[in-house]
Amino acid sequence: MASYEPDPKLKFTFGLWTVGNIGRDPFGEPTREKITLSQILEMLGEVGAYGVNFHDNDAFPIDASPEEIARILKEFKKGMKDNGLLCPMATTNLFSDPVFKDGAFTSNNAKIRAFAIQKTMKAMEYGAELGAKTYVFWGGREGIESDATKNPIDAIKRFREAINFLCEWNIQNKFGYKFAFEAKPNEPRGHLYFAVTGSYLALIPTLDHPDMCGVNPEFAHETMAGLDFVHHVAQAIEMKKLFHVDLNDQEMGRYDQDFRFGSHSLKSAFFLVKLLEDNGYNGSRHFDCHAYRQSDYQDVREFAKGCMRTYMILKEKVGRWNADKEIQGLLKLINTEDVGMSKLTKKFSTGNAKKLLEAPLDRIELSKARLPYEQLDQLSNEVLMGIR
Ligand code: GLT
Ligand code: MN
Ligand code: MN
């Protein structure tokens, strides 16, 4: 029996805010005592995580003095070293403080926009000091409740301007960051700008430094909107823009649940792992989720181990699926190749167009091809259920 211990090559990471989550929700007070930075790092070391990610204000308060910040960063580094952790990703909290109540980079107030950029410039320094090479941008407050309040085109322009500025800051300071944009459809705003991963994929080519920028899709976010997360990640991979990924779980049409990876939608999680593994994804696998509000910290450890273990188990299942002769036979059957025809449609030319128009493509005959998808899906389920 395999041990399913976390494989460091898979770079399993957690944010300080995930295992450190205190179980507060919009209707209720915290159910867990806040634990210290050192305690969180100790817990992550204990469960076998590869790394830890953080927002500036997960580590120190927004009004911390430079001396306090320096002291905490030192403690942070020591905690990472003592527990064998790396810090691959950093980000800025641009959503908790009341100043950001109507957005940060897209705020209607030029001084608030400037403050958001200034705060990010500093936070980029802190992340770089801990060795982070990916910088995440989640626009938690970049949105509206009413379109009367903000011009949506201005919002896009303001966001672009902020990112262009920060790309130059990245270059000037030689931080070596790759930026990863994280989309979400709503929560905490009624509607967030850049609602899906594709919105950012469309924005990136319009930036001054498109090569520096990619995406950080989160399972829960496309799922909240009732969409197929795997397809969004696939598009990012195909465009070579998957710089980071946030793994968790979520039921469609519900509030922002951020459940333990695989806890609800095992089948989608399986096809996501398959997509990442089959395509050689090499970045962090970051678990952006938190334990149930009922859990104590002992159970939070089980939650963290569960995320990684589920990934390891699903990865093994992917291997089985790929090696399953019957499944492979069906895949061959449904992917009907025709070398001559593919050559014709691969690239337009006047000659190819002429040949295509004359090609004998018999609609009735073609519709007879077998598609045993029930069988294929059942076999996939049987792999998942552990009998193949
Ligand atoms: C917050 C949010 C996440 C983002 C984090 C990065 S913070 O927990 O729900 O989806 O990834 O800012
Ligand atoms: Mn989320
Ligand atoms: Mn996230």
Side-chain angles (χ1 to χ4, degrees):
M1 178 93 181
S3 74
Y4 304 116
E5 287 299 310
D7 179 351
K9 286 201 289 297
L10 297 181
K11 302 179 187 155
F12 291 137
T13 61
F14 291 84
L16 286 181
W17 70 95
T18 63
V19 285
N21 179 284
I22 53 177
R24 183 190 288 122
D25 75 11
F27 303 94
E29 299 304 327
T31 55
R32 291 184 282 271
E33 300 248 324
K34 196 170 162 33
I35 53 172
T36 64
L37 175 61
S38 310
Q39 284 172 314
I40 297 178
L41 298 176
E42 217 178 286
M43 188 193 317
L44 289 179
E46 214 180 288
V47 298
Y50 168 88
V52 59
N53 304 319
F54 76 114
H55 300 86
D56 48 356
N57 304 135
D58 296 337
F60 37 79
I62 193 164
D63 51 5
S65 67
E67 296 73 34
E68 206 176 340
I69 294 174
R71 181 184 59 75
I72 292 171
L73 287 178
K74 216 169 134 196
E75 181 190 322
F76 202 150
K77 272 193 222 161
K78 182 172 184 308
M80 280 168 43
K81 194 156 173 261
D82 291 350
N83 295 287
L85 296 165
L86 296 174
C87 173
M89 179 271 260
T91 183
T92 329
N93 185 325
L94 297 173
F95 44 88
S96 296
D97 194 87
V99 70
F100 300 124
K101 62 180 180 257
D102 192 30
F105 299 149
T106 68
S107 164
N108 279 332
N109 184 325
K111 281 191 178 158
I112 294 179
R113 296 200 293 276
F115 175 65
I117 297 174
Q118 181 196 66
K119 190 173 193 288
T120 306
M121 291 164 75
K122 293 183 189 169
M124 284 170 69
E125 290 193 29
Y126 311 141
E129 218 181 302
L130 297 186
K133 287 289 170 208
T134 304
Y135 206 84
V136 162
F137 291 84
W138 172 64
R141 298 280 173 193
E142 315 289 14
I144 49 101
E145 284 69 42
S146 160
D147 279 320
T149 64
K150 215 181 281 176
N151 179 325
I153 292 190
D154 284 348
I156 298 169
K157 291 188 188 309
R158 289 168 183 169
F159 189 87
R160 179 188 295 118
E161 207 173 274
I163 297 299
N164 283 341
F165 193 99
L166 292 165
C167 282
E168 298 297 341
W169 179 243
N170 185 29
I171 295 168
Q172 195 188 89
N173 287 277
K174 300 193 174 58
F175 291 140
Y177 280 122
K178 289 274 189 185
F179 289 3
F181 305 122
E182 178 177 343
K184 189 175 182 182
N186 57 278
E187 276 201 55
R189 301 304 300 269
H191 291 272
L192 288 166
Y193 295 126
F194 306 106
V196 291
T197 299
S199 318
Y200 281 121
L201 290 174
L203 174 80
I204 290 170
T206 74
L207 298 172
D208 288 348
H209 296 281
D211 292 347
M212 208 181 280
C213 300
V215 291
N216 174 38
E218 173 172 317
F219 187 101
H221 295 175
E222 263 80 15
T223 308
M224 281 171 76
L227 302 171
D228 184 322
F229 182 62
V230 171
H231 297 182
H232 292 259
V233 177
Q235 194 173 6
I237 290 178
E238 207 275 336
M239 294 177 72
K240 301 193 171 38
K241 287 296 179 193
L242 187 69
F243 288 3
H244 201 262
V245 68
D246 278 4
L247 304 176
N248 55 13
D249 211 340
Q250 172 77 33
E251 291 178 70
M252 281 188 182
R254 299 281 164 179
Y255 67 96
D256 180 14
Q257 296 173 310
D258 288 337
F259 284 152
R260 187 182 78 258
F261 181 58
S263 60
H264 177 266
S265 340
L266 261 189
K267 197 166 169 182
S268 305
F270 168 76
F271 283 109
L272 176 64
V273 172
K274 178 164 157 47
L275 181 75
L276 296 174
E277 297 304 320
D278 286 354
N279 290 286
Y281 172 70
N282 192 29
S284 293
R285 288 153 181 82
H286 174 237
F287 296 105
D288 191 9
C289 38
H290 49 79
Y292 301 138
R293 198 158 170 265
Q294 296 79 7
S295 301
D296 58 12
Y297 283 108
Q298 193 183 330
D299 204 32
V300 171
R301 283 178 173 73
E302 296 306 319
F303 148 87
K305 283 194 262 180
C307 286
M308 297 186 283
R309 199 172 149 79
T310 297
Y311 194 101
M312 296 299 297
I313 296 169
L314 289 176
K315 182 169 181 276
E316 186 195 87
K317 301 281 181 207
V318 168
R320 280 176 188 270
W321 197 95
N322 288 343
D324 191 300
K325 293 223 162 57
E326 216 175 325
I327 290 178
Q328 292 309 315
L330 287 172
L331 289 178
K332 224 169 147 206
L333 178 79
I334 64 179
N335 286 287
T336 321
E337 256 322 311
D338 186 297
V339 179
M341 216 38 81
S342 296
K343 234 172 118 184
L344 266 192
T345 53
K346 196 166 177 60
K347 202 170 166 48
F348 182 87
S349 71
T350 317
N352 279 352
K354 188 165 175 288
K355 278 191 209 149
L356 181 58
L357 281 173
E358 288 161 2
L361 296 167
D362 183 338
R363 184 184 102 249
I364 311 272
E365 227 8 77
L366 286 172
S367 68
K368 287 186 190 151
R370 283 203 71 222
L371 292 173
Y373 285 1
E374 290 290 356
Q375 193 186 355
L376 179 56
D377 183 66
Q378 177 65 23
L379 291 178
S380 306
N381 278 358
E382 291 188 11
V383 169
L384 257 181
M385 289 188 283
I387 63 155
R388 286 186 80 85

